[in-house]
Short mmCIF file of all heavy atoms in Angstrom, two decimals:
data_model
loop_
_atom_site.label_atom_id
_atom_site.label_comp_id
_atom_site.label_asym_id
_atom_site.label_seq_id
_atom_site.Cartn_x
_atom_site.Cartn_y
_atom_site.Cartn_z
N SER A 1 162.96 87.51 114.68
CA SER A 1 163.31 87.51 113.25
C SER A 1 164.80 87.33 113.01
O SER A 1 165.20 86.65 112.08
CB SER A 1 162.87 88.82 112.60
OG SER A 1 161.48 88.87 112.52
N LEU A 2 165.62 87.98 113.82
CA LEU A 2 167.06 87.91 113.62
C LEU A 2 167.59 86.49 113.78
O LEU A 2 168.55 86.10 113.13
CB LEU A 2 167.78 88.87 114.57
CG LEU A 2 167.38 90.35 114.43
CD1 LEU A 2 168.08 91.20 115.46
CD2 LEU A 2 167.64 90.86 113.02
N LYS A 3 166.93 85.70 114.61
CA LYS A 3 167.33 84.30 114.80
C LYS A 3 166.67 83.38 113.79
O LYS A 3 167.31 82.50 113.24
CB LYS A 3 167.00 83.86 116.22
CG LYS A 3 167.84 84.58 117.26
CD LYS A 3 167.45 84.20 118.65
CE LYS A 3 168.27 85.00 119.66
NZ LYS A 3 167.77 84.88 121.01
N VAL A 4 165.38 83.59 113.54
CA VAL A 4 164.64 82.73 112.61
C VAL A 4 165.23 82.84 111.20
O VAL A 4 165.39 81.83 110.51
CB VAL A 4 163.13 83.08 112.60
CG1 VAL A 4 162.40 82.31 111.51
CG2 VAL A 4 162.51 82.79 113.96
N CYS A 5 165.58 84.04 110.78
CA CYS A 5 166.09 84.26 109.42
C CYS A 5 167.36 83.48 109.13
O CYS A 5 167.61 83.10 107.99
CB CYS A 5 166.33 85.74 109.17
SG CYS A 5 164.81 86.65 108.86
N GLU A 6 168.15 83.24 110.15
CA GLU A 6 169.39 82.49 109.95
C GLU A 6 169.15 81.07 109.47
O GLU A 6 170.04 80.43 108.92
CB GLU A 6 170.21 82.47 111.24
CG GLU A 6 170.75 83.85 111.60
CD GLU A 6 171.50 83.87 112.92
OE1 GLU A 6 171.48 82.87 113.66
OE2 GLU A 6 172.12 84.91 113.20
N LYS A 7 167.92 80.57 109.64
CA LYS A 7 167.59 79.18 109.28
C LYS A 7 166.78 79.10 107.99
O LYS A 7 166.36 78.02 107.60
CB LYS A 7 166.80 78.53 110.42
CG LYS A 7 167.55 78.51 111.73
CD LYS A 7 166.67 78.08 112.87
CE LYS A 7 167.43 78.25 114.17
NZ LYS A 7 166.56 78.36 115.31
N LEU A 8 166.52 80.24 107.35
CA LEU A 8 165.65 80.25 106.18
C LEU A 8 166.43 80.21 104.88
O LEU A 8 167.58 80.66 104.80
CB LEU A 8 164.77 81.51 106.20
CG LEU A 8 163.80 81.62 107.38
CD1 LEU A 8 163.06 82.95 107.32
CD2 LEU A 8 162.81 80.45 107.39
N GLU A 9 165.76 79.70 103.84
CA GLU A 9 166.32 79.72 102.49
C GLU A 9 166.18 81.12 101.92
O GLU A 9 165.41 81.93 102.42
CB GLU A 9 165.55 78.72 101.61
CG GLU A 9 165.73 77.29 102.03
CD GLU A 9 164.93 76.33 101.17
OE1 GLU A 9 164.43 76.73 100.10
OE2 GLU A 9 164.82 75.17 101.58
N PRO A 10 166.87 81.43 100.83
CA PRO A 10 166.83 82.78 100.24
C PRO A 10 165.43 83.19 99.76
O PRO A 10 164.60 82.35 99.42
CB PRO A 10 167.78 82.66 99.04
CG PRO A 10 168.70 81.55 99.40
CD PRO A 10 167.86 80.57 100.17
N PHE A 11 165.22 84.50 99.74
CA PHE A 11 163.98 85.12 99.29
C PHE A 11 164.27 86.14 98.21
O PHE A 11 165.33 86.76 98.19
CB PHE A 11 163.26 85.83 100.45
CG PHE A 11 162.66 84.88 101.43
CD1 PHE A 11 163.42 84.38 102.47
CD2 PHE A 11 161.35 84.47 101.29
CE1 PHE A 11 162.88 83.49 103.38
CE2 PHE A 11 160.80 83.57 102.20
CZ PHE A 11 161.56 83.08 103.24
N ASP A 12 163.28 86.34 97.33
CA ASP A 12 163.39 87.35 96.30
C ASP A 12 163.11 88.74 96.86
O ASP A 12 163.75 89.71 96.48
CB ASP A 12 162.41 87.05 95.15
CG ASP A 12 162.69 85.69 94.53
OD1 ASP A 12 163.82 85.49 94.04
OD2 ASP A 12 161.80 84.83 94.56
N ILE A 13 162.11 88.82 97.74
CA ILE A 13 161.71 90.10 98.34
C ILE A 13 161.69 89.93 99.85
O ILE A 13 161.09 88.98 100.37
CB ILE A 13 160.29 90.53 97.88
CG1 ILE A 13 160.19 90.56 96.35
CG2 ILE A 13 159.91 91.87 98.51
CD1 ILE A 13 161.08 91.56 95.66
N ILE A 14 162.33 90.86 100.56
CA ILE A 14 162.30 90.86 102.03
C ILE A 14 161.79 92.22 102.48
O ILE A 14 162.33 93.26 102.09
CB ILE A 14 163.68 90.57 102.63
CG1 ILE A 14 164.17 89.18 102.19
CG2 ILE A 14 163.63 90.69 104.16
CD1 ILE A 14 165.55 88.81 102.68
N TYR A 15 160.74 92.19 103.28
CA TYR A 15 160.13 93.41 103.81
C TYR A 15 160.53 93.57 105.27
O TYR A 15 160.30 92.66 106.08
CB TYR A 15 158.60 93.32 103.68
CG TYR A 15 157.91 94.63 103.95
CD1 TYR A 15 157.90 95.64 102.99
CD2 TYR A 15 157.27 94.87 105.15
CE1 TYR A 15 157.26 96.84 103.22
CE2 TYR A 15 156.62 96.06 105.39
CZ TYR A 15 156.63 97.05 104.42
OH TYR A 15 156.00 98.24 104.66
N ILE A 16 161.15 94.69 105.60
CA ILE A 16 161.62 94.96 106.96
C ILE A 16 160.92 96.19 107.49
O ILE A 16 161.12 97.30 106.99
CB ILE A 16 163.16 95.17 106.98
CG1 ILE A 16 163.88 93.95 106.40
CG2 ILE A 16 163.63 95.48 108.40
CD1 ILE A 16 165.39 94.14 106.26
N ASP A 17 160.11 95.98 108.52
CA ASP A 17 159.36 97.07 109.14
C ASP A 17 159.24 96.80 110.64
O ASP A 17 158.16 96.51 111.15
CB ASP A 17 157.98 97.20 108.49
CG ASP A 17 157.14 98.32 109.08
OD1 ASP A 17 157.70 99.20 109.77
OD2 ASP A 17 155.92 98.30 108.88
N PRO A 18 160.38 96.87 111.36
CA PRO A 18 160.34 96.62 112.80
C PRO A 18 159.75 97.82 113.54
O PRO A 18 159.53 98.87 112.92
CB PRO A 18 161.81 96.44 113.17
CG PRO A 18 162.54 97.29 112.19
CD PRO A 18 161.74 97.21 110.91
N PRO A 19 159.51 97.68 114.84
CA PRO A 19 159.12 98.88 115.60
C PRO A 19 160.15 99.99 115.32
O PRO A 19 161.35 99.74 115.34
CB PRO A 19 159.18 98.40 117.06
CG PRO A 19 158.94 96.91 116.97
CD PRO A 19 159.59 96.49 115.69
N TYR A 20 159.67 101.18 115.01
CA TYR A 20 160.52 102.24 114.49
C TYR A 20 161.76 102.54 115.33
O TYR A 20 162.83 102.77 114.80
CB TYR A 20 159.72 103.53 114.31
CG TYR A 20 158.83 103.52 113.09
CD1 TYR A 20 157.69 104.31 113.06
CD2 TYR A 20 159.11 102.76 111.97
CE1 TYR A 20 156.86 104.33 111.95
CE2 TYR A 20 158.30 102.76 110.86
CZ TYR A 20 157.17 103.56 110.86
OH TYR A 20 156.35 103.58 109.76
N PHE A 21 161.65 102.57 116.62
CA PHE A 21 162.79 102.98 117.45
C PHE A 21 163.41 101.80 118.21
O PHE A 21 163.93 101.95 119.29
CB PHE A 21 162.36 104.11 118.39
CG PHE A 21 161.82 105.29 117.63
CD1 PHE A 21 160.45 105.51 117.53
CD2 PHE A 21 162.67 106.16 116.95
CE1 PHE A 21 159.94 106.57 116.79
CE2 PHE A 21 162.18 107.22 116.21
CZ PHE A 21 160.82 107.43 116.13
N SER A 22 163.36 100.64 117.57
CA SER A 22 163.84 99.41 118.21
C SER A 22 165.36 99.24 118.10
O SER A 22 165.92 98.42 118.80
CB SER A 22 163.16 98.21 117.57
OG SER A 22 163.44 98.16 116.18
N GLY A 23 165.99 99.98 117.18
CA GLY A 23 167.43 99.88 117.02
C GLY A 23 167.89 98.61 116.31
O GLY A 23 169.06 98.23 116.42
N VAL A 24 167.00 97.95 115.56
CA VAL A 24 167.38 96.69 114.91
C VAL A 24 167.51 96.81 113.38
O VAL A 24 167.70 95.80 112.71
CB VAL A 24 166.39 95.54 115.25
CG1 VAL A 24 166.39 95.24 116.72
CG2 VAL A 24 165.00 95.84 114.75
N TYR A 25 167.44 98.01 112.85
CA TYR A 25 167.48 98.16 111.39
C TYR A 25 168.77 97.63 110.77
O TYR A 25 168.73 96.83 109.83
CB TYR A 25 167.27 99.62 110.98
CG TYR A 25 165.83 100.05 111.02
CD1 TYR A 25 165.32 100.76 112.11
CD2 TYR A 25 164.97 99.73 110.00
CE1 TYR A 25 164.00 101.14 112.14
CE2 TYR A 25 163.63 100.11 110.02
CZ TYR A 25 163.16 100.82 111.10
OH TYR A 25 161.84 101.18 111.13
#
């Protein structure tokens, strides 16, 4: 996600729910 998002156009709503203890918040 961190790499793919860099190539995306803007969004109105972004939902972030990674593995809880992944350290990527």
Side-chain angles (χ1 to χ4, degrees):
S1 290
L2 301 177
K3 293 176 183 169
V4 173
C5 283
E6 292 177 351
K7 301 170 188 158
L8 297 176
E9 294 178 13
F11 288 86
D12 300 301
I13 306 297
I14 299 177
Y15 191 77
I16 302 174
D17 180 16
Y20 284 154
F21 302 102
S22 59
V24 298
Y25 281 99

